[in-house]
Amino acid sequence: MKQVSLTIDKRLAPYVFLLPFLVFFLAFRVGPIVWSLVVSFTKWSGMNEAVFVGFQNYLRVFKDGRFWTATYNTLYFVVVYNAIMITLALLLAVSLDSSLLKGKGFYRSAYFMPITMSLPVVAMVFDLILARGSGLLAVLLQYLGIGLRVRWLSNASLAMWAIILMRVWRGTGYYCAYFLAGLASIPKDVYEAAKVDGASAWTVFTRISLPLLKPMLLFVLIMSTILSFQIFDEPWILTQGGPADATLMLQIYLYQTSFLEGNLGRGCAISYMMTLLMMGASVLYVKRLGERDA
Amino acid sequence: MSKMNGSARTLLLSLVVLVLLSSVSFAQAQEKVKVTFWTWLSNEALVEEFNRLHPNIQVEHVKMGAYDAQNKFLVALSSGTGAPDVIQLMARHFSLFSTTGKLVDVTDAVKDIKDGYPSNLIEAVSYNSRMYGLPADVSPAVIWYRRDIFKKYGIEAPFATWDDFAKAAAVLKKNGVTMMPLFYPAGGWGANALVMYLHSRGGNIYTQEGKVIRNNKELEYTLQWLNDLYKNGFAEGITFFTPEFWGAFKAGQFACWPMNVAEGANIRQYMPELSGNWGVMPFPRWSDKKEQTTGIWGGTVLAVPKQSKVRDAALTFAKWVAGTVQGQVWASKTWNAVPAYSPAYKDNHYSLGDPYYGGDNVYKMINPVKPFYYFDWAITERIIGKQLDLMFAGKVTPAAARAAIEAELIDETNR
């Protein structure tokens, strides 16, 4: 009987092994991306017959004042949150990296803990902290003799800050872990040489740690920016984007348009405009931080 | 052992096959039809009762958030897979689904019970004169109030008019008690609360034909009234349904809560220690109106998607819940539902007082309801909610808020 050969051409072998991943990647990643691009040119509720409308969705979104409000709010949040969070995470990492600190394990775990909590739970906890009159913050202020009854979530300016601080509390420890890993990878003899030269702690930080941490800083910045662009849970649970759109973020705008108002075509257009924004921000970071290393 | 001949072997084999086949068909007869039911309400006891009464059907109660259920349902209808067999939807958002052709037309299936529903509820679940859902409950407004606080400050209940309500609020404010909570930031719920008051005045946002009412005096009046309550300190903004919210009630920070009947179940659940201290009264009459009518908070609809592979069983369940006295009474017992199916009111359950509410019978506190029309409700909620926030922040007057609501609705809905 003639034997059937099961050997594979060596040149095809890598592709055969990659095939299962590629099939899933095309089906569940590339497919929806392409499909949503097609949908963005239609008027479609997800349940009726889709009608081709060309660039109408994009034009409508572009002319919609709420889109620009959401874009401004999201950019404001992304910039302020990242500035505060990355500064704090860096300072925290440097502190935790200090040889003078005892019980590092405890601090690392404690600072990392908030990221393990689910976002809705965090939002509910902060709702209790910020509660007017009876909240933890109000009680602490009263204890200090400051009888402040602030409506944190009903005040357009304060509501945004409440959400920023909540995110900072949650994210700082997580990104601190990245910086700690970056600091650990810096050769110790560089620090010893600086010590011999009589460099101060500030000089060591600005001239050695920071430049050598730049790749990690760039990574954290891009990751954190992309994730913070996707902010949804906290403002949705606490304020539903209010008061009067003061905490309206692009994700809330997208969710309202797509699911609550049943306009998936326009929702897909919003998501593509968001992607362009995020890509623009990432390119800017890479150019500003990456080219200096070149 | 002697060998069997061919015919004996054939006979034995036939017998074995016969026994096996009969046991399979017996097992199939015993097998229950499984019906998946999505809801955000605590219908567990109701489902248990249905399952007890219908041994051949097993309803699985799947609880999730109201908007979660709606979003997941939209995705399931869109993708053509993953929908439940029965879903409970918000009545005010039902037109988003009834017009898609993806729900089972129940017109013929509910012929025998159709007369039991008021015509406006039939209209709300219909599209092109065909019914695509069953009205499960209505959600009329009443005023839940704290008897002990009212007694302490010498306030008489019930109020004859909303003016009396404001006078009582002034007395309470002097004593450091706020009359009622207010959705602020408003969001969709805040918008629906405003609409509840507007509806109690006989007002509407849209005409019956779906056109935005221009120069809507009723809407302006209601906005002005709500704004006055807030500015006078008779109502205070708070995030609803949070621990802070229930805590404020427990602490006696609020004296009453104008809200739907179903909310009474939550009051009882979150504040069992206040049994006997709560009472309920009807919505008062507006001073400039002759009739004493109430507003509707929402209400729910049961629908069966075409995807369901067990449509008959799903419809049996939906009809039992929404179209039998027994089902409606169970919904009332479980979460204070107000029956959509009129014959249910003959049941003794609706004539009893409740010790938790000091012996009051909430079903006796419901005023007549005038028609209300929902169109593009998600957009409507959003637009009204934003203007309420601006108004409470003092950035727009009630008149300007009314004008902006109308202008934005016309722009966004083309109605």
Side-chain angles (χ1 to χ4, degrees):
Chain A
M1 199 172 78
K2 195 181 176 185
Q3 282 203 329
V4 180
S5 171
L6 286 173
T7 53
I8 300 165
D9 188 331
K10 280 183 179 175
R11 286 168 301 175
L12 288 175
Y15 300 103
V16 171
F17 285 110
L18 280 172
L19 196 62
F21 162 76
L22 283 172
V23 167
F24 279 93
F25 182 71
L26 286 170
F28 296 107
R29 289 281 181 181
V30 179
I33 289 169
V34 173
W35 175 239
S36 63
L37 181 65
V38 173
V39 171
S40 75
F41 295 107
T42 66
K43 182 173 170 53
W44 189 48
S45 73
M47 296 176 285
N48 59 352
E49 284 296 315
V51 179
F52 181 77
V53 291
F55 283 94
Q56 207 179 84
N57 286 327
Y58 289 91
L59 285 170
R60 176 80 206 200
V61 172
F62 200 78
K63 285 178 185 172
D64 188 0
R66 293 187 80 240
F67 170 71
W68 295 110
T69 302
T71 303
Y72 171 80
N73 288 345
T74 308
L75 286 171
Y76 182 87
F77 169 80
V78 166
V79 170
V80 175
Y81 158 72
N82 281 301
I84 296 171
M85 187 276 294
I86 286 172
T87 305
L88 281 176
L90 250 174
L91 292 174
L92 208 58
V94 171
S95 308
L96 289 174
D97 200 46
S98 166
S99 54
L100 301 170
L101 186 74
K102 298 282 181 281
K104 284 181 187 179
F106 165 75
Y107 288 109
R108 283 178 190 179
S109 304
Y111 286 126
F112 194 80
M113 199 78 77
I115 200 76
T116 62
M117 289 174 72
S118 82
L119 279 168
V121 170
V122 171
M124 292 299 282
V125 168
F126 266 78
D127 191 50
L128 284 171
I129 291 169
L130 300 170
R132 184 171 174 253
S134 57
L136 181 67
L137 191 64
V139 170
L140 282 173
L141 289 171
Q142 261 176 339
Y143 183 75
L144 296 168
I146 308 162
L148 203 63
R149 280 173 64 86
V150 180
R151 284 195 179 93
W152 288 91
L153 301 175
S154 311
N155 183 300
S157 318
L158 294 176
M160 179 62 95
W161 276 99
I163 288 159
I164 288 170
L165 292 175
M166 195 189 315
R167 260 296 172 104
V168 166
W169 172 82
R170 193 170 182 269
T172 302
Y174 176 71
Y175 289 107
C176 168
Y178 281 101
F179 288 131
L180 273 170
L183 287 167
S185 68
I186 298 171
K188 293 286 172 273
D189 53 353
V190 181
Y191 288 117
E192 282 160 17
K195 214 173 179 181
V196 169
D197 288 345
S200 65
W202 178 247
T203 308
V204 168
F205 175 68
T206 54
R207 301 285 175 159
I208 296 170
S209 303
L210 212 51
L212 291 172
L213 269 178
K214 201 174 271 184
M216 184 57 81
L217 187 66
L218 183 65
F219 171 76
V220 165
L221 206 53
I222 290 172
M223 284 301 294
S224 165
T225 299
I226 289 169
L227 286 173
S228 52
F229 255 111
Q230 294 169 3
I231 184 164
F232 174 83
D233 300 65
E234 300 97 320
W236 183 250
I237 290 167
L238 292 177
T239 61
Q240 288 195 351
D245 291 346
T247 55
L248 177 73
M249 305 292 182
L250 281 165
Q251 289 281 5
I252 293 177
Y253 178 61
L254 170 66
Y255 169 72
Q256 286 177 330
T257 307
S258 305
F259 293 99
L260 298 185
E261 293 164 18
N263 199 333
L264 289 184
R266 200 180 297 169
C268 288
I270 294 166
S271 67
Y272 268 90
M273 289 168 95
M274 278 175 67
T275 305
L276 287 174
L277 268 172
M278 281 187 253
M279 279 170 68
S282 301
V283 167
L284 201 72
Y285 287 153
V286 173
K287 270 196 178 301
R288 298 280 299 181
L289 285 165
E291 278 181 358
R292 288 183 198 170
D293 293 337
Chain B
M1 197 172 80
S2 63
K3 280 189 176 180
M4 278 192 287
N5 63 24
S7 57
R9 240 195 335 252
T10 309
L11 186 70
L12 187 65
L13 194 67
S14 303
L15 276 169
V16 169
V17 169
L18 202 66
V19 167
L20 281 172
L21 281 173
S22 60
S23 64
V24 165
S25 59
F26 179 75
Q28 278 177 335
Q30 291 301 299
E31 201 177 295
K32 291 179 177 184
V33 178
K34 192 181 160 191
V35 171
T36 317
F37 172 45
W38 286 4
T39 180
W40 70 95
L41 296 157
S42 302
N43 279 311
E44 292 91 341
L46 176 143
V47 166
E48 270 177 42
E49 179 65 9
F50 175 84
N51 288 339
R52 192 183 65 79
L53 295 169
H54 300 77
N56 295 331
I57 303 172
Q58 184 68 32
V59 176
E60 186 195 5
H61 182 276
V62 182
K63 196 176 175 183
M64 56 184 90
Y67 285 101
D68 287 347
Q70 194 169 292
N71 297 343
K72 285 188 173 83
F73 191 56
L74 189 148
V75 172
L77 291 186
S78 168
S79 62
T81 183
D85 299 303
V86 184
I87 186 165
Q88 190 149 23
L89 291 162
M90 289 176 272
R92 48 180 184 254
H93 292 284
F94 190 62
S95 62
L96 185 68
F97 300 95
S98 60
T99 55
T100 60
K102 300 210 179 245
L103 300 181
V104 171
D105 180 342
V106 298
T107 317
D108 298 332
V110 300
K111 262 183 189 165
D112 53 331
I113 55 169
K114 195 178 169 184
D115 292 343
Y117 300 107
S119 59
N120 64 311
L121 293 186
I122 296 286
E123 215 174 290
V125 296
S126 299
Y127 177 62
N128 287 342
S129 304
R130 306 294 293 176
M131 286 172 71
Y132 291 94
L134 285 88
D137 75 290
V138 285
S139 203
V142 291
I143 297 182
W144 301 100
Y145 73 99
R146 286 283 298 272
R147 292 172 172 276
D148 50 342
I149 295 174
F150 273 42
K151 193 178 173 185
K152 188 178 177 182
Y153 299 110
I155 292 161
E156 289 289 317
F159 300 122
T161 66
W162 283 105
D163 288 351
D164 295 337
F165 176 90
K167 281 174 195 162
V171 171
L172 289 166
K173 190 183 175 243
K174 277 180 193 162
N175 290 285
V177 180
T178 307
M179 188 62 156
M180 59 178 263
L182 190 82
F183 291 94
Y184 185 26
W189 282 336
N192 287 309
L194 171 93
V195 163
M196 190 172 72
Y197 297 114
L198 170 69
H199 186 191
S200 76
R201 292 183 49 76
N204 257 290
I205 299 292
Y206 296 99
T207 63
Q208 191 171 355
E209 295 73 35
K211 290 282 172 199
V212 174
I213 298 171
R214 272 71 168 173
N215 198 19
N216 192 335
K217 291 296 172 201
E218 288 293 358
L219 174 59
E220 193 171 320
Y221 183 103
T222 313
L223 284 164
Q224 183 68 59
W225 175 79
L226 205 58
N227 195 45
D228 289 346
L229 276 187
Y230 181 69
K231 294 287 182 257
N232 290 323
F234 302 161
E236 189 179 320
I238 193 166
T239 313
F240 273 52
F241 313 118
T242 58
E244 181 204 359
F245 177 74
W246 301 115
F249 272 119
K250 285 179 187 179
Q253 193 180 320
F254 297 119
C256 75
W257 186 16
M259 198 60 182
N260 56 330
V261 170
E263 217 51 66
N266 280 332
I267 290 173
R268 185 202 305 267
Q269 185 191 333
Y270 288 102
M271 294 171 270
E273 68 273 36
L274 291 178
S275 179
N277 285 330
W278 279 95
V280 58
M281 65 171 110
F283 252 39
R285 182 175 58 80
W286 294 93
S287 305
D288 60 333
K289 301 280 181 188
K290 286 193 177 74
E291 296 168 90
Q292 189 172 345
T293 52
T294 193
I296 293 288
W297 170 256
T300 66
V301 175
L302 294 179
V304 177
K306 281 182 177 173
Q307 277 179 40
S308 174
K309 290 181 172 65
V310 288
R311 285 188 201 180
D312 290 345
L315 269 170
T316 302
F317 172 67
K319 274 183 78 172
W320 183 82
V321 174
T324 67
V325 174
Q326 205 176 18
Q328 291 279 274
V329 170
W330 267 95
S332 297
K333 283 178 179 173
T334 313
W335 51 273
N336 267 33
V338 177
Y341 187 59
S342 304
Y345 289 103
K346 289 173 188 160
D347 191 272
N348 190 39
H349 174 78
Y350 303 102
S351 60
L352 301 172
D354 190 322
Y356 183 90
Y357 311 120
D360 283 345
N361 177 353
V362 66
Y363 299 100
K364 299 266 187 242
M365 307 291 178
I366 301 167
N367 301 335
V369 176
K370 290 195 169 181
F372 195 85
Y373 310 108
Y374 295 103
F375 296 95
D376 293 320
W377 204 248
I379 296 171
T380 309
E381 281 177 350
R382 170 168 57 75
I383 288 169
I384 293 174
K386 182 182 174 181
Q387 291 305 318
L388 281 172
D389 286 345
L390 290 170
M391 184 179 79
F392 293 140
K395 289 177 178 166
V396 296
T397 62
R402 190 268 306 155
I405 287 167
E406 288 169 25
E408 286 181 39
L409 281 176
I410 292 162
D411 175 55
E412 289 210 35
T413 65
N414 296 317
R415 289 186 176 278

